[in-house]
Amino acid sequence: MNVLTDNFSTFGDGFLGTVELTVYASLLALVLGFLMASFRVAPVGSFRAFGTVWVAVLRNTPLTLLFFAVLLGLPRFGLVLPFKVFAVLALGCYTSAFICEALRSGINTVPKGQGEAARSLGMSFGQTLSMVVLPQAFRSVIAPVGSNLIALAKNSAIAGAFSVTELLGTYKTLNELGYNIIWTFVWIALGYLIITLAISAVFNILEKRWGVAR
Amino acid sequence: MAVDPLIELRDVNKYYGELHVLQDINLTVGKGEVVVVIGPSGSGKSTLCRTINRLETIQSGEIRLDGQPLPDEGKALARLRAEVGMVFQSFNLFAHKTVLQNVSLAQTKVRGRRKDEADQRSRELLERVGLATQAEKYPAQLSGGQQQRVAIARALAMDPKALLFDEPTSALDPEMINEVLEVMQQLARDGMTMVVVTHEMGFARSAANRVVFMSDGRVVEDRTPEDFFTHPESERARDFLSKILKH
């Protein structure tokens, strides 16, 4: 029990680190996922190809490998950033591939006639997508997008292996200090639960509010 | 009729893979004319209708609207589509928007009208199709006939030069067909240029200036309704009419 009370600031720093990684990487993943989903349904072939390659590469690369590629690879090309930023990049880009596919499956649930009606009124591709198709697609993808962000929160643990301060990494410090490893992990698990349950709660509210008001 | 041509199709051909769905189509629709396109299933009449605002692309030939060739994708095409309203078989009202928002959306986003201007125009049009009291409802709360009348109001809100109707009553219960046809009759009387793909022979007789009969991707007959219904020239048209006018 005193693992927690003795080391509240260590746990707190780790917890906040994970929250920070999760929030920034989620925002990046949502923005990129939205962009890539738009690319994948665009009328221009080269956009579609770019979206397809993006998803294929990022979704099929193990996340740890991606972390290595970003943290060790990018500095070789002269791009040197704090490790935390690199971690957000790796996590965000990786998850964006999954968000993209969730959004795209949502787009496919919207009847084709909705887009045709919008286009026949003279709306552009961008207007059709953003005002007619996506608002309807979002309703059916709230749950899978939530799952992807929960997965992101847990995946952020990998960043600890690259000396980014986050929740799971705190066990190394505490283990060296001789604390009971079982209790250390119990408190760490509880920390993750708080984050993932918070994400679930947000998405439950979104689903109640927006999920299919037909 | 020697009127100004509004819609012109010249030697239009379209294929779906091997299937030659539109074969050397030539058709002119004058300003203010009502042209009804009829024909058996799979004759290409819906496809023809959809090529006019380029929801379907064509492989060869030329389509002109008000003298201008139909543009490729992009802004020019969007501008042109705003000039040609379309009413679909399955209504295609935006499911997440109210009736009023359905009619106002493109007015503000495409025509650049202020929201209050657009809403006022929408209410006028809803009044005209007899649905002024339904403005705040969602499409799913309306009957099919009501939804289709909203769809007509939505198309009219862009002040189009012409309206295309792709089987507007085919998905409706029999008792709702008339309320939609009445709106269309009124539009025809008001001088709207219309291309109507339909199986409603009564509408063709009473409202059309010309009847175009299609079969197997070709225009087989293009004549006044009176001529067409009393003296069809082709064997194919006689056969078609005998099957649908028997009852």
Side-chain angles (χ1 to χ4, degrees):
Chain A
M1 188 63 201
N2 55 359
V3 181
L4 182 66
T5 44
D6 290 356
N7 301 286
F8 205 78
S9 73
T10 309
F11 275 116
D13 286 349
F15 181 79
L16 287 180
T18 294
V19 168
E20 218 178 337
L21 280 175
T22 304
V23 169
Y24 289 134
S26 291
L27 290 177
L28 182 67
L30 288 172
V31 170
L32 284 176
F34 176 87
L35 194 67
M36 290 305 144
S38 309
F39 277 16
R40 291 206 70 176
V41 297
V44 184
S46 49
F47 281 13
R48 280 201 303 275
F50 185 86
T52 309
V53 170
W54 179 272
V55 169
V57 169
L58 288 164
R59 197 170 55 165
N60 297 320
T61 309
L63 183 55
T64 315
L65 200 63
L66 194 64
F67 264 89
F68 274 117
V70 170
L71 274 84
L72 305 178
L74 290 183
R76 291 200 168 203
F77 295 97
L79 190 67
V80 184
L81 295 166
F83 269 23
K84 184 173 266 178
V85 178
F86 275 139
V88 166
L89 270 180
L91 266 174
C93 291
Y94 176 77
T95 313
S96 76
F98 294 87
I99 303 268
C100 165
E101 290 302 89
L103 279 176
R104 202 165 61 92
S105 76
I107 289 171
N108 289 335
T109 66
V110 179
K112 219 173 154 216
Q114 295 283 312
E116 285 183 351
R119 282 188 288 146
S120 80
L121 289 165
M123 292 170 73
S124 65
F125 170 76
Q127 288 175 326
T128 301
L129 197 64
S130 64
M131 292 169 202
V132 174
V133 178
L134 282 175
Q136 296 184 63
F138 278 133
R139 299 174 171 202
S140 53
V141 301
I142 293 171
V145 166
S147 299
N148 282 324
L149 296 188
I150 287 172
L152 181 150
K154 296 185 292 180
N155 286 339
S156 70
I158 294 178
F162 297 88
S163 54
V164 176
T165 309
E166 54 77 50
L167 190 54
L168 181 65
T170 54
Y171 91 90
K172 278 180 283 189
T173 320
L174 298 174
N175 196 29
E176 278 164 24
L177 293 173
Y179 285 101
N180 183 328
I181 193 82
I182 304 287
W183 276 106
T184 306
F185 277 126
V186 167
W187 293 118
I188 286 173
L190 204 72
Y192 278 106
L193 259 182
I194 291 170
I195 294 170
T196 53
L197 287 178
I199 297 174
S200 305
V202 167
F203 277 82
N204 279 337
I205 292 168
L206 286 177
E207 210 169 342
K208 282 218 180 75
R209 179 85 177 73
W210 295 111
V212 190
R214 281 157 231 245
Chain B
M1 247 202 274
V3 287
D4 277 353
L6 183 61
I7 303 169
E8 296 168 274
L9 287 83
R10 292 284 159 264
D11 306 317
V12 168
N13 282 283
K14 177 173 178 67
Y15 301 82
Y16 285 126
E18 290 287 290
L19 198 64
H20 198 171
V21 286
L22 294 179
Q23 307 186 19
D24 298 315
I25 301 285
N26 284 285
L27 180 70
T28 304
V29 180
K31 287 201 174 101
E33 238 186 335
V34 177
V35 172
V36 166
V37 184
I38 62 175
S41 294
S43 59
K45 53 192 193 307
S46 275
T47 308
L48 173 73
C49 188
R50 290 162 57 88
T51 58
I52 297 173
N53 66 359
R54 213 172 182 278
L55 284 180
E56 300 284 351
T57 54
I58 57 173
Q59 270 80 38
S60 70
E62 188 184 41
I63 300 176
R64 283 173 173 270
L65 272 148
D66 220 359
Q68 300 294 318
L70 210 58
D72 288 344
E73 290 295 332
K75 286 216 168 62
L77 179 64
R79 256 200 304 281
L80 180 133
R81 279 174 173 154
E83 303 293 331
V84 183
M86 180 138 191
V87 176
F88 300 86
Q89 179 175 356
S90 47
F91 329 132
N92 295 346
L93 293 180
F94 305 135
H96 62 307
K97 299 215 174 270
T98 64
V99 165
L100 185 68
Q101 289 169 336
N102 261 278
V103 185
S104 291
L105 181 67
Q107 292 185 66
T108 54
K109 300 302 174 189
V110 178
R111 286 284 188 242
R113 289 181 192 150
R114 286 204 325 272
K115 192 177 172 301
D116 53 333
E117 268 179 274
D119 283 349
Q120 197 196 336
R121 174 92 176 113
S122 301
R123 287 186 195 279
E124 283 166 21
L125 288 164
L126 289 172
E127 179 82 53
R128 185 162 156 194
V129 298
L131 292 168
T133 56
Q134 314 288 329
E136 312 307 325
K137 290 193 177 165
Y138 283 90
Q141 297 170 288
L142 303 183
S143 73
Q146 290 173 324
Q147 289 191 48
Q148 194 61 297
R149 285 185 283 150
V150 174
I152 293 173
R154 179 175 70 177
L156 287 173
M158 306 303 288
D159 302 317
K161 291 175 178 161
L163 280 182
L164 310 173
F165 291 83
D166 184 8
E167 303 204 24
T169 57
S170 299
L172 295 176
D173 288 343
E175 54 186 332
M176 292 169 186
I177 290 176
N178 276 334
E179 63 189 56
V180 172
L181 290 180
E182 272 162 29
V183 171
M184 291 168 61
Q185 296 268 16
Q186 187 58 49
L187 287 172
R189 280 196 292 275
D190 294 347
M192 176 59 77
T193 307
M194 293 159 64
V195 175
V196 184
V197 175
T198 187
H199 296 294
E200 294 299 323
M201 297 304 144
F203 177 82
R205 268 180 201 273
S206 62
N209 299 106
R210 277 158 51 208
V211 170
V212 170
F213 177 75
M214 285 186 74
S215 177
D216 301 321
R218 292 179 185 280
V219 171
V220 181
E221 303 207 20
D222 179 353
R223 306 162 61 202
T224 66
E226 184 59 26
D227 279 356
F228 177 75
F229 285 111
T230 49
H231 310 291
E233 273 171 357
S234 60
E235 185 54 42
R236 193 71 191 80
R238 272 197 292 276
D239 180 52
F240 179 75
L241 287 174
S242 74
K243 279 175 187 152
I244 57 165
L245 296 177
K246 219 184 287 179
H247 308 290

